[in-house]
Amino acid sequence: MSRPDLNLLVALEVLLAEESVAVAARRLQLSPSAMSRTLARLREATGDPLLVRAGRGLVPTPRALELRARVGQLVQDAGAVLRPVEALDLAVLARTFTLRSSEGFAETFGPGLIARVGAEAPRVRLRFVQKLNKDSGPLREGAVDLETGIVSQEMGPEVRSQALFRDRFIGVVRAGHPLSKGRVTLSRYTSGRHISISRRGLEQGPIAEAMAPLGLQRDIVTVVGGFSTALALARSSDLIASVPERHTGGLRDGMHSFRLPFAAPEITVSLLWHPRLDADPAHRWLRRCVRDACADPLGGSPRSESRESK
């Protein structure tokens, strides 16, 4: 079956509203003969005469009366689809956004983000899910609206990204730990017992890679999956945790932090999303909220590594 010409819907709406070929032709800026041919096509498509002569005018058939309200709504809906989206009204926006991030990101930046979103769009909900790998499948499939993380080769080439902030690794121990007093040297750092952080249970990571050129390695006594777990263990023992500084700001309250005694690795944490949401007004607003929540408290801005379309 051939697909119907949807342009006929507009002509049908005007004809049924005016009940006049001449008036409908003027409204649509057509000649009367062209409008008559359009009416003939409509009659053929619907299998009904639609408008029939009564004296000097035309009157609608029962089928035309039945179609009048439906056609008007269809044309109105089609027009809404083809118009630019109206201004976003945050007061009535009702939507749940899923954010995929590390537990450290959610614990550190989540409270401020939730407060901001709640103040501006009270009917919006945020759902945080833990990021266990760098697979961009959830973004591509629509299971996730936003991610935070480090841009890598494992991500799909279509994924949009924008740098949020730079972070560096620091050492953290409990209050009163021997390393909380005096200068932390390489010897003191490497002689301690350490916690390794890896979602995949690996002992090697950025800290091990930074120490390798020095011919040094740590004594890893346990491997955990997240920053908060590492800091909880370090808080109640003599173990040493090496964690990103900004990711763990609130989690380190009451603990002693120190600069690592070697060139500490730096990472750039980025915001990631799928391009199909690029122009969505609500999604753009949420991206702005996340960027503001992660803004440098000292007023600095991360070096731009944006792949976001301008």
Side-chain angles (χ1 to χ4, degrees):
M1 176 187 283
S2 61
R3 301 182 68 176
D5 182 358
L6 298 182
N7 291 316
L8 291 175
L9 288 174
V10 176
L12 178 59
E13 180 198 27
V14 175
L15 279 166
L16 296 182
E18 301 298 343
E19 298 182 6
S20 166
V21 170
V23 176
R26 286 197 295 272
R27 279 189 55 182
L28 295 177
Q29 297 183 336
L30 297 173
S31 66
S33 59
M35 195 74 248
S36 294
R37 289 194 297 271
T38 299
L39 177 57
R41 292 179 61 197
L42 284 166
R43 286 168 170 166
E44 181 180 359
T46 60
D48 188 269
L50 298 174
L51 295 171
V52 296
R53 184 144 314 266
R56 294 185 177 182
L58 298 174
V59 294
T61 65
R63 172 68 169 155
L65 293 174
E66 176 191 339
L67 291 175
R68 180 179 284 166
R70 293 173 57 191
V71 169
Q73 187 61 53
L74 282 171
V75 172
Q76 182 178 339
D77 290 345
V81 168
L82 297 176
R83 280 195 300 270
V85 69
E86 296 180 359
L88 181 66
D89 187 350
L90 294 176
V92 299
L93 178 64
R95 191 161 161 183
T96 297
F97 293 99
T98 299
L99 283 71
R100 187 172 179 243
S101 67
S102 68
E103 60 178 9
F105 185 94
E107 291 165 351
T108 300
F109 301 105
L113 177 60
I114 292 170
R116 162 78 178 270
V117 167
E120 296 187 10
R123 300 177 66 186
V124 167
R125 292 181 59 194
L126 298 181
R127 176 174 173 259
F128 287 91
V129 296
Q130 191 170 359
K131 186 172 184 176
L132 301 176
N133 54 55
K134 295 184 178 181
D135 176 25
S136 56
L139 283 176
R140 188 182 308 111
E141 296 158 7
V144 168
D145 295 290
L146 276 177
E147 283 192 13
T148 61
I150 301 170
V151 176
S152 72
Q153 297 297 326
E154 300 174 47
M155 294 174 182
E158 76 278 14
V159 173
R160 296 278 193 267
S161 68
Q162 186 173 52
L164 290 173
F165 58 87
R166 292 189 68 80
D167 209 346
R168 64 171 183 172
F169 281 83
I170 58 172
V172 185
V173 293
R174 63 171 175 80
H177 188 283
L179 289 185
S180 66
K181 301 175 179 64
R183 178 168 165 265
V184 178
T185 62
L186 269 172
S187 175
R188 294 183 70 196
Y189 179 79
T190 55
S191 65
R193 303 169 75 233
H194 292 259
I195 305 166
S196 178
I197 304 166
S198 171
R199 289 191 296 264
R200 293 177 290 180
L202 305 177
E203 292 188 13
Q204 300 300 313
I207 300 297
E209 292 172 3
M211 295 179 67
L214 304 174
L216 300 172
Q217 60 182 13
R218 297 173 298 167
D219 176 17
I220 303 295
V221 299
T222 186
V223 180
V224 299
F227 306 138
S228 61
T229 304
L231 291 170
L233 289 176
R235 189 185 296 274
S236 58
S237 71
D238 281 338
L239 297 178
I240 303 168
S242 298
V243 298
E245 184 175 25
R246 290 204 60 200
H247 261 80
T248 58
L251 303 177
R252 293 183 282 109
D253 286 347
M255 302 181 74
H256 177 76
S257 304
F258 58 89
R259 298 188 67 164
L260 296 177
F262 51 89
E266 287 193 345
I267 58 176
T268 297
V269 178
S270 296
L271 191 60
L272 313 167
W273 67 95
H274 195 273
R276 73 172 174 279
L277 294 171
D278 217 26
D280 178 59
H283 199 271
R284 293 176 71 92
W285 162 77
L286 180 63
R287 298 199 301 266
R288 185 168 61 251
C289 289
V290 175
R291 289 195 297 268
D292 290 348
C294 297
D296 190 328
L298 299 180
S301 59
R303 287 182 290 179
S304 177
E305 296 185 6
S306 175
R307 293 191 293 174
E308 181 174 7
S309 60
K310 302 298 184 186

